[in-house]
Amino acid sequence: MPNRLASIQHIVVLMLENRSFDHMLGFLYAGQQNQPPSGQTFDGLTGDESNPDSNGEAVNVYAIPSTASNLYFQPGADPGEGYSATNSQLFGTITAPTPPTATNQGFVTDYAYTLGWESKKPSWSVLPGTVATDIMGMYTPALLPVLSGLARGYAVCDQWFSSAPTETLPNRAFVCAATSQGHMDDNTKSYTCPSIFGLLSQHNQSWMIYGYDQQPLTRLNFPDTTQASDDHFGLFTDFQTAATNGTLPAYTFLEPSWDSAGNSQHPNYDVALGEQLIHDVYYALRSNEAQWQQTLLIITYDEHGGCYDHVAPPLGAVPPDNSVGEYGFDFKRFGLRVPTVLVSPLIAPGTVFRVPAGTMPLDHTSILKTVETRWGLPALTARDAAAPEFGDVLTLTKPRTDDPLAGVNVPQSSDANLVATAPSHLQQVHAELVSHLPVPDAQGGTYHQMPALQTNAEYAEYIASRTAAWLASRRQNG
């Protein structure tokens, strides 16, 4: 089929938080024995997959029942997601073996270990009744009708992997810059490399980064975004206005709200709020018909977040640069599968999109490769140079006018968010980054020490006020 990427004028990315493919979409076509109506194969769950518990007893995957307590807050605690924890989940040991042949049999035992230490620390939230076997609970399409409806109605990628087998910030660096400069944990919060945003500016292509209800954290991760003009950044309401007015740029990057009462879907926050966000992004894009016909939306997640997936991550990744990897990691293997859904009226319904077997798999840098291919940009690193793009998913010559979400009701959680007042990890990251912004004081100096902050609200207020002061000083200084 013809590749219609040249017809796309607007690429929009919504990257959510810390969920594996199986956890969110593994049962997508279970009712059809993993045989989509399109006739393609789908690498989903059969229900026979299992992991041993600490006693060696097999724990099968299961569909989270609609009657479960804390239904949209599963799993009830934050699973291990760093490099060592990911190794434990894949190999049963925190050190990857040689060769690194994954069995994906360590999720229950690693979650048991994580619950053990998190339950002893007041700063970590473990919901009542949470047990290690909960990590084998998976959402069904009925529980996630928005994400599942778009996955069925457009295209789902069942072989899309995070770029590195570790936590959030390195993977978000890969989606923006095709490298984490060797970093493999969240201790490093900003990078010195160029990003896709600066590259777009160099080639006179428009871009925007939108935070949800705070100015975007991503702005503070790279020099070429921090130094960019203020008109490249906004809030979700600004995105909705631009979508409705038909003024979206070539490339849009959307952040969720990072706080623990927000819609990022990070465990153990309210997944239903993320369903609402996906819904709102989709309908914002559909609000201008002419622009919608030329738009490609990518919904993805930065990393698996310690949630179970049955597919072993592939080897053969291309190291992005000469950076020395932390923990001895060589950047030659990918992270776990994450949910990725491609949405455009130029995509046939029921598509399962993957690249041919034996070729470089899809990962986060495939977004960069697709942007670079569409607008004739050079690669940022060796990783995105080697990545496949996904323009081949666009096969229709005439844009569709149907709406796969027509009649779908967005779920709402009936359970109280027991962690809503606590600061989230990414809120803390955001606060630290804004504390380093050069805001002149009354004497013209820029020394600043972040105050002691305790609650979600205190972090939110500090981030907002410090960012506002920085933006005001930028305007004042021209």
Side-chain angles (χ1 to χ4, degrees):
M1 299 294 290
N3 179 323
R4 305 286 297 172
L5 183 59
S7 300
I8 296 297
Q9 303 299 324
H10 312 282
I11 294 178
V12 179
V13 175
L14 171 62
M15 177 168 269
L16 297 164
E17 278 286 294
N18 291 43
R19 300 282 172 169
S20 72
F21 185 88
D22 277 345
H23 183 68
M24 301 293 274
L25 292 173
F27 284 132
L28 183 68
Y29 286 112
Q32 295 79 40
Q33 289 72 53
N34 290 326
Q35 297 294 320
S38 62
Q40 298 169 290
T41 59
F42 176 73
D43 197 351
L45 293 165
T46 66
D48 294 330
E49 297 82 2
S50 67
N51 256 213
D53 63 15
S54 300
N55 296 318
E57 298 292 326
V59 180
N60 276 59
V61 296
Y62 64 92
I64 299 171
S66 60
T67 55
S69 59
N70 298 312
L71 174 60
Y72 285 107
F73 296 87
Q74 295 296 317
D78 187 7
E81 62 190 70
Y83 179 65
S84 295
T86 301
N87 282 341
S88 177
Q89 294 152 13
L90 294 175
F91 310 113
T93 173
I94 63 173
T95 303
T98 304
T101 304
T103 62
N104 295 41
Q105 290 291 294
F107 284 87
V108 175
T109 52
D110 185 73
Y111 196 41
Y113 169 78
T114 300
L115 290 175
W117 66 261
E118 284 186 359
S119 62
K120 298 175 182 176
K121 294 181 179 290
S123 58
W124 290 85
S125 167
V126 178
L127 299 182
T130 300
V131 294
T133 55
D134 292 345
I135 204 65
M136 302 304 286
M138 312 290 142
Y139 284 107
T140 63
L143 295 178
L144 302 179
V146 177
L147 180 65
S148 300
L150 294 176
R152 288 171 168 169
Y154 295 97
V156 61
C157 298
D158 65 346
Q159 295 290 321
W160 183 296
F161 299 87
S162 57
S163 295
T166 190
E167 52 196 329
T168 289
L169 293 183
N171 276 296
R172 285 186 170 266
F174 267 94
V175 81
C176 293
T179 182
S180 65
Q181 296 187 291
H183 299 296
M184 284 293 290
D185 59 32
D186 285 351
N187 292 333
T188 299
K189 301 169 181 63
S190 60
Y191 303 86
T192 60
C193 56
S195 74
I196 189 64
F197 308 105
L199 184 65
L200 285 162
S201 288
Q202 291 170 17
H203 291 80
N204 300 312
Q205 297 297 332
S206 55
W207 58 272
M208 288 289 297
I209 305 175
Y210 294 99
Y212 187 74
D213 50 7
Q214 296 268 23
Q215 286 295 313
L217 183 158
T218 305
R219 180 177 190 174
L220 308 180
N221 290 142
F222 306 97
D224 55 16
T225 53
T226 305
Q227 297 163 10
S229 66
D230 296 344
D231 56 9
H232 284 293
F233 309 94
L235 305 180
F236 188 71
T237 51
D238 301 315
F239 162 73
Q240 291 174 305
T241 298
T244 299
N245 292 342
T247 57
L248 286 178
Y251 185 60
T252 298
F253 189 77
L254 299 171
E255 293 181 3
S257 56
W258 299 123
D259 65 273
S260 51
N263 52 23
S264 72
Q265 296 190 325
H266 190 294
N268 51 357
Y269 308 154
D270 190 347
V271 172
L273 293 179
E275 281 275 282
Q276 183 69 60
L277 174 59
I278 296 169
H279 171 278
D280 292 348
V281 170
Y282 172 69
Y283 279 107
L285 294 176
R286 289 190 67 108
S287 65
N288 185 294
E289 182 178 358
Q291 183 174 256
W292 167 241
Q293 293 178 355
Q294 301 175 324
T295 297
L296 171 61
L297 168 64
I298 301 110
I299 303 164
T300 191
Y301 292 71
D302 52 22
E303 44 111 348
H304 79 296
C307 297
Y308 173 77
D309 195 80
H310 77 278
V311 173
L315 308 178
V318 175
D321 45 40
N322 294 324
S323 299
V324 177
E326 294 172 341
Y327 310 109
F329 185 63
D330 60 7
F331 292 93
K332 292 183 179 180
R333 56 186 173 94
F334 293 94
L336 280 88
R337 287 195 309 174
V338 292
T340 302
V341 174
L342 306 178
V343 178
S344 170
L346 297 178
I347 296 174
T351 297
V352 178
F353 185 77
R354 60 173 74 158
V355 295
T359 64
M360 191 66 67
L362 295 162
D363 84 316
H364 293 331
T365 63
S366 293
I367 294 174
L368 302 179
K369 185 60 170 283
T370 303
V371 171
E372 292 157 1
T373 300
R374 172 60 187 86
W375 286 288
L377 311 180
L380 288 161
T381 73
R383 174 63 71 85
D384 56 322
E389 51 99 353
F390 44 85
D392 285 346
V393 75
L394 305 159
T395 60
L396 303 182
T397 57
K398 183 179 180 180
R400 293 163 53 189
T401 58
D402 64 303
D403 179 6
L405 291 191
V408 169
N409 294 317
V410 181
Q412 294 183 336
S413 177
S414 60
D415 298 298
N417 186 339
L418 301 181
V419 301
T421 61
S424 74
H425 170 57
L426 284 176
Q427 251 188 329
Q428 294 170 326
V429 168
H430 200 174
E432 182 178 338
L433 288 172
V434 300
S435 75
H436 298 316
L437 293 172
V439 179
D441 57 24
Q443 290 73 41
T446 58
Y447 172 78
H448 174 77
Q449 185 172 1
M450 187 171 70
L453 305 169
Q454 301 296 327
T455 67
N456 176 342
E458 289 175 352
Y459 273 88
E461 194 283 328
Y462 173 73
I463 292 167
S465 61
R466 182 74 182 169
T467 303
W470 176 64
L471 294 175
S473 70
R474 281 170 57 93
R475 290 190 291 269
Q476 184 176 353
N477 295 326

